[in-house]
Coordinates of all heavy atoms in Angstrom, one line a residue:
Y335 N -10.8 89.3 15.0 CA -9.5 89.6 15.8 C -8.3 89.9 14.8 O -7.4 90.6 15.1 CB -9.2 88.4 16.7 CG -10.1 88.2 17.8 CD1 -10.9 87.2 17.9 CD2 -10.1 89.2 18.8 CE1 -11.8 87.1 19.0 CE2 -10.9 89.0 19.9 CZ -11.7 87.9 19.9 OH -12.7 87.8 21.0
L336 N -8.2 89.3 13.7 CA -7.0 89.3 12.9 C -7.3 90.2 11.6 O -6.2 90.6 10.9 CB -6.5 88.0 12.4 CG -6.4 86.9 13.4 CD1 -5.8 85.6 12.9 CD2 -5.4 87.4 14.6
G337 N -8.5 90.5 11.3 CA -8.8 91.2 10.1 C -8.3 90.5 8.7 O -7.9 91.2 7.8
E338 N -8.4 89.2 8.8 CA -8.0 88.4 7.7 C -9.1 87.4 7.2 O -10.1 87.1 8.1 CB -6.8 87.5 8.1 CG -5.6 88.3 8.5 CD -4.5 87.4 9.2 OE1 -4.7 86.2 9.1 OE2 -3.4 87.9 9.6
Q339 N -9.0 86.9 6.1 CA -10.0 85.8 5.7 C -9.4 84.4 6.1 O -8.0 84.3 6.1 CB -10.1 85.8 4.1 CG -10.9 87.1 3.7 CD -12.4 87.0 4.4 OE1 -13.0 86.0 4.5 NE2 -12.9 88.2 4.6
P340 N -10.1 83.5 6.5 CA -9.7 82.2 7.0 C -8.9 81.5 5.7 O -9.3 81.5 4.6 CB -11.0 81.4 7.2 CG -11.9 82.4 7.5 CD -11.6 83.6 6.6
V341 N -7.7 81.0 6.1 CA -6.9 80.3 5.1 C -7.5 79.0 4.8 O -7.5 78.5 3.7 CB -5.5 80.2 5.7 CG1 -4.6 79.3 4.6 CG2 -4.8 81.6 5.8
I342 N -8.0 78.3 5.9 CA -8.6 77.0 5.6 C -10.1 77.0 6.2 O -10.3 77.6 7.4 CB -7.9 75.8 6.4 CG1 -6.5 75.9 6.0 CG2 -8.5 74.5 6.2 CD1 -5.7 74.9 6.9
A343 N -11.0 76.7 5.4 CA -12.5 76.7 5.8 C -12.8 75.6 6.7 O -12.2 74.6 6.9 CB -13.3 76.7 4.5
N344 N -14.0 75.9 7.5 CA -14.5 74.9 8.3 C -15.3 73.8 7.3 O -15.6 74.2 6.3 CB -15.5 75.4 9.3 CG -14.9 76.1 10.4 OD1 -13.7 76.2 10.5 ND2 -15.7 76.4 11.4
V345 N -15.6 72.7 8.0 CA -16.6 71.8 7.4 C -18.0 72.5 7.6 O -18.3 73.1 8.6 CB -16.7 70.5 8.0 CG1 -17.8 69.6 7.5 CG2 -15.3 69.7 7.7
D346 N -18.9 72.5 6.7 CA -20.2 73.1 6.8 C -20.9 72.4 8.1 O -20.9 71.2 8.2 CB -21.1 72.7 5.6 CG -20.5 73.5 4.3 OD1 -19.8 74.4 4.4 OD2 -20.7 73.0 3.2
T347 N -21.5 73.4 8.8 CA -22.0 72.8 10.1 C -23.3 73.4 10.5 O -23.5 74.7 10.3 CB -21.0 73.1 11.3 OG1 -19.7 72.6 10.8 CG2 -21.5 72.6 12.6
W348 N -24.3 72.7 10.9 CA -25.6 73.3 11.5 C -25.4 73.4 12.9 O -25.0 72.6 13.6 CB -26.7 72.3 11.1 CG -27.2 72.3 9.8 CD1 -28.2 73.0 9.2 CD2 -26.7 71.4 8.7 NE1 -28.3 72.7 7.8 CE2 -27.5 71.7 7.5 CE3 -25.8 70.4 8.6 CZ2 -27.3 71.1 6.3 CZ3 -25.5 69.7 7.4 CH2 -26.3 70.0 6.3
R349 N -25.9 74.6 13.4 CA -26.0 75.0 14.8 C -27.4 74.5 15.3 O -28.4 75.1 14.9 CB -25.8 76.4 15.2 CG -24.4 76.8 14.7 CD -24.4 78.3 14.8 NE -23.1 78.9 14.3 CZ -22.9 80.1 13.7 NH1 -23.9 80.9 13.6 NH2 -21.7 80.4 13.3
L350 N -27.5 73.5 16.1 CA -28.8 73.0 16.3 C -29.6 73.8 17.4 O -30.7 73.5 17.7 CB -28.7 71.4 16.8 CG -28.1 70.5 15.8 CD1 -28.2 69.1 16.2 CD2 -28.7 70.9 14.4
E351 N -29.0 74.6 18.0 CA -29.8 75.7 18.9 C -30.6 76.7 18.2 O -31.4 77.3 18.7 CB -28.8 76.3 19.9 CG -27.9 77.4 19.2 CD -27.2 78.2 20.3 OE1 -27.3 78.0 21.4 OE2 -26.5 79.0 19.7
E352 N -30.3 76.8 16.8 CA -31.1 77.6 15.9 C -32.3 76.8 15.4 O -32.1 75.7 14.9 CB -30.1 78.2 14.8 CG -29.0 79.0 15.3 CD -28.1 79.4 14.2 OE1 -28.2 79.0 13.0 OE2 -27.1 80.1 14.5
D353 N -33.4 77.4 15.5 CA -34.7 76.8 15.2 C -34.8 76.1 13.9 O -35.1 75.0 13.6 CB -35.9 77.5 15.6 CG -36.1 77.9 17.1 OD1 -35.4 77.2 17.9 OD2 -36.7 78.9 17.3
D354 N -34.4 76.9 12.9 CA -34.5 76.5 11.4 C -33.5 75.5 11.2 O -33.9 74.4 10.5 CB -34.3 77.8 10.5 CG -35.3 78.8 10.6 OD1 -36.5 78.4 11.1 OD2 -35.2 79.9 10.2
A355 N -32.2 75.6 11.8 CA -31.3 74.5 11.5 C -31.8 73.3 12.1 O -31.5 72.1 11.5 CB -29.9 75.1 12.0
R356 N -32.2 73.4 13.2 CA -32.6 72.1 14.0 C -33.7 71.3 13.3 O -33.7 70.2 13.2 CB -33.0 72.5 15.4 CG -33.4 71.3 16.4 CD -33.5 71.6 17.7 NE -34.6 72.5 18.0 CZ -34.5 73.8 18.4 NH1 -33.4 74.4 18.4 NH2 -35.6 74.5 18.5
E357 N -34.7 72.2 12.8 CA -35.8 71.6 12.1 C -35.3 70.8 10.9 O -35.8 69.7 10.6 CB -36.9 72.7 11.8 CG -38.1 72.1 11.1 CD -39.2 73.2 10.8 OE1 -38.9 74.4 11.2 OE2 -40.0 73.0 10.1
E358 N -34.5 71.4 10.1 CA -34.0 70.8 9.0 C -33.2 69.6 9.3 O -33.3 68.4 8.6 CB -33.0 71.7 8.1 CG -32.4 71.1 6.9 CD -31.5 72.1 6.1 OE1 -31.4 73.3 6.6 OE2 -30.8 71.5 5.2
V359 N -32.3 69.6 10.3 CA -31.5 68.5 10.8 C -32.3 67.2 11.1 O -32.1 66.2 10.8 CB -30.5 68.9 11.7 CG1 -29.7 67.7 12.4 CG2 -29.4 69.8 11.1
L360 N -33.4 67.6 11.9 CA -34.2 66.5 12.5 C -35.0 65.8 11.4 O -35.3 64.6 11.5 CB -35.2 67.2 13.5 CG -34.5 67.6 14.8 CD1 -35.6 68.1 15.7 CD2 -33.8 66.4 15.5
D361 N -35.2 66.6 10.3 CA -35.9 65.9 9.1 C -34.9 65.1 8.2 O -35.3 64.3 7.5 CB -36.4 67.1 8.3 CG -37.7 67.6 8.7 OD1 -38.3 67.0 9.7 OD2 -38.1 68.6 8.2
R362 N -33.6 65.4 8.6 CA -32.5 64.7 7.7 C -31.5 63.9 8.5 O -30.4 63.7 8.1 CB -31.8 65.7 6.8 CG -32.7 66.5 6.0 CD -31.8 67.6 5.2 NE -30.7 67.1 4.5 CZ -29.7 67.9 4.2 NH1 -29.7 69.2 4.4 NH2 -28.6 67.3 3.5
L363 N -31.9 63.4 9.7 CA -31.0 62.7 10.6 C -30.3 61.6 9.9 O -29.1 61.2 10.2 CB -31.7 62.3 11.9 CG -31.9 63.2 13.0 CD1 -32.7 62.6 14.2 CD2 -30.6 63.9 13.4
D364 N -31.0 60.9 9.0 CA -30.5 59.7 8.4 C -29.4 60.0 7.3 O -28.8 59.2 6.7 CB -31.7 58.9 7.7 CG -32.4 59.6 6.8 OD1 -32.4 60.9 6.8 OD2 -33.1 58.8 6.0
E365 N -29.3 61.3 7.1 CA -28.3 61.7 6.0 C -27.1 62.4 6.6 O -26.0 62.6 5.9 CB -29.0 62.8 5.0 CG -30.2 62.4 4.4 CD -30.8 63.4 3.7 OE1 -30.1 64.5 3.3 OE2 -32.1 63.4 3.4
L366 N -27.1 62.8 7.9 CA -26.1 63.6 8.4 C -25.3 63.0 9.5 O -25.7 61.9 10.0 CB -26.7 64.9 8.9 CG -27.6 65.7 7.9 CD1 -28.3 66.9 8.6 CD2 -26.7 66.3 6.8
V367 N -24.2 63.7 10.0 CA -23.4 63.3 11.1 C -23.7 64.3 12.2 O -23.7 65.4 12.0 CB -21.9 63.4 10.8 CG1 -21.1 63.0 12.1 CG2 -21.5 62.4 9.6
V368 N -24.1 63.8 13.3 CA -24.5 64.5 14.5 C -23.5 64.3 15.6 O -23.2 63.2 15.9 CB -25.9 64.3 14.9 CG1 -26.3 65.1 16.1 CG2 -26.9 64.5 13.7
K369 N -22.9 65.4 16.2 CA -21.9 65.3 17.2 C -22.2 66.0 18.4 O -22.7 67.2 18.3 CB -20.6 65.9 16.6 CG -20.1 65.2 15.3 CD -18.8 65.9 14.8 CE -18.3 65.3 13.5 NZ -17.0 66.0 13.2

Side-chain angles (χ1 to χ4, degrees):
Y335 289 114
L336 307 181
E338 303 171 1
Q339 291 299 321
V341 174
I342 306 176
N344 280 10
V345 173
D346 296 337
T347 306
W348 286 269
R349 300 167 183 154
L350 300 191
E351 65 166 9
E352 297 174 355
D353 294 339
D354 292 343
R356 183 169 66 256
E357 183 177 350
E358 179 181 351
V359 169
L360 290 178
D361 286 341
R362 300 174 54 196
L363 277 183
D364 59 343
E365 304 172 19
L366 305 174
V367 177
V368 182
K369 302 177 179 179

